[in-house]
Amino acid sequence: MEKENYFFDIPETPENDKVFVLIIYDIAENKKRIRLSKLLQGYGFRVQKSAFEAVITKKKYKKLLQELSAFRSQEDSIRVYKIIGKGQVVNIGKESDHTQEEVILV
């Protein structure tokens, strides 16, 4: 079993406009879950069936939070982790197929 490592460095400085986000969710309804995953693909990349990672601007982060509020319900859960600073991701198992670059929506 291979281990895949990647690092990120999102400095907390006034001139830095990027944040690293991890979005995980548990959505019961299939159609709603598919709509959410399509929305998240516009921001970053899927790392597991119900988890996405992205490096986005602070403006896009605020927009993402607004768009996610449309998925709010009593039975569903969406968690967004905003991570600033240095970090390392260790993936054990299936290799992820992604590159860390900003996604531009057209």
Side-chain angles (χ1 to χ4, degrees):
M1 184 178 294
E2 294 287 322
K3 282 200 312 184
E4 172 193 18
N5 295 298
Y6 57 95
F7 299 86
F8 58 89
D9 186 3
I10 311 293
E12 192 168 11
T13 60
E15 62 274 357
N16 178 44
D17 190 36
K18 303 281 186 190
V19 294
F20 179 94
V21 292
L22 170 64
I23 305 108
I24 58 173
Y25 57 90
D26 185 9
I27 304 291
E29 183 186 320
N30 283 337
K31 286 183 182 181
K32 190 176 181 182
R33 188 172 53 250
I34 291 167
R35 279 193 349 260
L36 176 60
S37 68
K38 287 181 180 181
L39 170 74
L40 294 175
Q41 286 173 343
Y43 284 94
F45 53 90
R46 184 187 298 269
V47 292
Q48 290 186 358
K49 289 188 182 200
S50 297
F52 281 78
E53 290 179 1
V55 176
I56 55 178
T57 64
K58 291 175 183 174
K59 184 177 179 180
K60 283 187 180 181
Y61 174 72
K62 288 179 184 177
K63 182 181 178 196
L64 171 65
L65 293 179
Q66 289 175 342
E67 291 179 311
L68 289 176
S69 67
F71 293 88
R72 183 181 336 203
S73 75
Q74 291 295 328
E75 64 272 354
D76 298 330
S77 171
I78 302 171
R79 299 178 67 97
V80 180
Y81 295 86
K82 178 174 122 178
I83 305 168
I84 296 178
K86 293 183 180 185
Q88 176 184 8
V89 177
V90 178
N91 179 39
I92 301 170
K94 180 182 174 186
E95 287 186 35
S96 56
D97 184 26
H98 69 274
T99 57
Q100 287 200 342
E101 58 187 60
E102 185 175 344
V103 176
I104 299 173
L105 298 174
V106 181

